[in-house]
Amino acid sequence: MKEIVNGFLSFQQNVFPERKDLFKSLASNQNPKALFISCSDSRLVPELVTQQEPGQLFVIRNAGNIVPPFGPEPGGVSATIEYALMVLGVSEIIICGHSNCGAMNAIASCQCMDTMPAVEHWLRYADAAKTVVEEREYETAEAKLNEMVKENVIAQLNNIKTHPSVALALRKGKVRLHGWVYDIESGKIIALTPGGKSFISLSDNPETCFE
């Protein structure tokens, strides 16, 4: 905790004064262009990876970068998506998985989660990805995990399209969907191609999007 407090003090004393005008402009308004949905994993920091300033990303983080389908009792993820589109008017939505994801590994390796019922319930929203992955054979557990991470991104993109605000924005051509997987060790990102058939290097194909 001491390191966290010291970090804040350093921000307050050194960083904030140099960026005072930026924070003043953000004090009463925000105008992010993108909604970034990622895993809560401490190794993936959306603003760092994308080099975005405060105010530029509207972020949802949770275990497994999951988006539950829209339902009669929408939760916090649904409310945040709706706010991002209907109030903030974001024009890009990025769902970003990452390598060595603990949530996806738990699914891929069929780990017992009896002691974590909330986690077990939450990860059921990745069942579509699990079903696809279980139909294939893999040479290694790592290869299976990597596919689970990719298929989960696809599954969550399909889930997010069930949200009325997203469906409306897509129909009007006001939003684009992106599916990414970030590799922690190399710092590279692969992006889902239109139609969701494959992942390709984002560096080599910066304009690619899922839909």
Side-chain angles (χ1 to χ4, degrees):
M1 188 63 193
K2 183 178 180 181
E3 291 180 356
I4 295 174
V5 173
N6 286 341
F8 161 68
L9 294 175
S10 177
F11 165 79
Q12 188 180 51
Q13 296 167 8
N14 303 313
V15 178
F16 185 87
E18 295 180 359
R19 312 298 301 279
K20 190 173 182 179
D21 290 342
L22 170 63
F23 291 111
K24 183 178 181 179
S25 70
L26 293 173
S28 59
N29 185 44
Q30 62 171 322
N31 187 33
K33 301 303 181 185
L35 170 62
F36 198 103
I37 302 173
S38 71
C39 187
S40 298
D41 194 294
S42 61
R43 298 167 294 177
L44 171 55
V45 182
E47 294 85 354
L48 177 63
V49 170
T50 61
Q51 288 294 282
Q52 296 299 291
E53 294 280 7
Q56 293 181 316
L57 289 182
F58 200 61
V59 179
I60 297 173
R61 299 184 69 175
N62 62 55
N65 44 274
I66 281 172
V67 178
F70 189 82
E73 296 183 6
V77 173
S78 298
T80 305
I81 291 169
E82 189 173 86
Y83 187 85
L85 287 161
M86 305 301 290
V87 178
L88 299 178
V90 299
S91 57
E92 312 286 344
I93 299 176
I94 302 156
I95 297 182
C96 184
H98 66 91
S99 61
N100 194 33
C101 178
M104 294 304 105
N105 185 52
I107 298 172
S109 60
C110 298
Q111 292 180 13
C112 177
M113 290 182 278
D114 289 347
T115 60
M116 296 185 292
V119 173
E120 183 177 31
H121 174 78
W122 179 250
L123 295 183
R124 292 299 303 272
Y125 292 118
D127 275 357
K130 178 182 179 181
T131 300
V132 173
V133 169
E134 291 296 338
E135 283 294 309
R136 305 169 185 163
E137 294 184 0
Y138 306 90
E139 293 185 359
T140 65
E142 182 180 6
K144 184 177 182 180
L145 171 57
N146 291 340
E147 285 304 303
M148 186 67 211
V149 170
K150 293 177 185 177
E151 288 296 338
N152 181 57
V153 168
I154 296 171
Q156 304 316 317
L157 284 165
N158 289 329
N159 284 350
I160 202 170
K161 290 196 290 183
T162 68
H163 290 246
S165 58
V166 177
L168 179 62
L170 284 170
R171 178 61 65 90
K172 291 185 174 182
K174 292 185 176 181
V175 71
R176 298 194 303 171
L177 301 181
H178 307 264
W180 292 0
V181 174
Y182 169 66
D183 183 75
I184 296 170
E185 184 174 1
S186 69
K188 295 179 180 179
I189 289 176
I190 52 175
L192 195 60
T193 56
K197 297 298 182 181
S198 61
F199 284 84
I200 56 178
S201 168
L202 182 62
S203 298
D204 297 335
N205 303 274
E207 298 299 321
T208 191
C209 70
F210 167 66
E211 186 170 336

